[in-house]
Amino acid sequence: MPTLSFKTFLKNNCWAILWGVFIFLLTSLPGDYLPRIPKFVDLFKPDKLVHIFIFLVLIFLLLQGFERDGNPAIIHKYAVFFAFTISFSIAGITELLQEFVIPMRVASPYDFIANLLGILLGWGAYAFYKKKQLK
């Protein structure tokens, strides 16, 4: 079993960590800083695609980082569990922050559902990517 160094762990997971910080920064913008969408476009809710995308990328990067050599055996073995736990936590925390901390923002169960859909799609995308790499 390789010895873990914090530096190796950060190197393996730097993109996932940076993406997580980006999510917190993006979801922490006050509501009046966000561009307004015309009413007719509201029917399509394009912001849900943003939620799906950012969480798809997050779990993909987490899985990629956790499965690299040099991580502790437990992180490598339970990469999916840890990636889901972290992604799910960030999805919930960002909605709670928007409801209770960020000015002019509100939590939305539909945003949270879009976050979860992004997590599931990202997991699927990573499984597909991994399968293609093995060929």
Side-chain angles (χ1 to χ4, degrees):
M1 181 172 105
T3 58
L4 171 69
S5 77
F6 187 67
K7 186 177 178 182
T8 302
F9 182 80
L10 282 178
K11 181 181 171 200
N12 287 345
N13 298 289
C14 69
W15 291 112
I17 292 166
L18 289 173
W19 192 259
V21 169
F22 172 72
I23 290 171
F24 275 113
L25 291 174
L26 187 64
T27 59
S28 296
L29 289 173
D32 57 348
Y33 283 23
L34 301 174
R36 298 288 174 225
I37 298 171
K39 288 292 180 197
F40 70 90
V41 180
D42 280 350
L43 297 171
F44 302 104
K45 301 290 183 193
D47 69 306
K48 301 306 178 262
L49 295 176
V50 172
H51 285 267
I52 291 168
F53 175 74
I54 63 176
F55 282 92
L56 182 153
V57 171
L58 176 65
I59 195 164
F60 189 96
L61 292 172
L62 285 169
L63 288 166
Q64 191 175 41
F66 289 166
E67 291 189 350
R68 287 192 178 141
D69 292 336
N71 286 323
I74 192 165
I75 289 178
H76 190 75
K77 183 177 181 180
Y78 298 107
V80 173
F81 171 77
F82 287 119
F84 265 96
T85 301
I86 291 168
S87 299
F88 184 82
S89 297
I90 291 174
I93 290 168
T94 56
E95 290 304 314
L96 291 173
L97 287 173
Q98 288 178 357
E99 182 67 25
F100 299 111
V101 178
I102 311 300
M104 302 180 73
R105 296 292 294 264
V106 293
S108 165
Y110 300 111
D111 288 350
F112 185 71
I113 290 168
N115 297 345
L116 297 181
L117 181 59
I119 291 167
L120 292 173
L121 290 172
W123 180 38
Y126 184 75
F128 180 77
Y129 165 79
K130 204 169 145 183
K131 187 176 180 179
K132 285 290 190 186
Q133 288 236 315
L134 293 174
K135 287 185 178 186

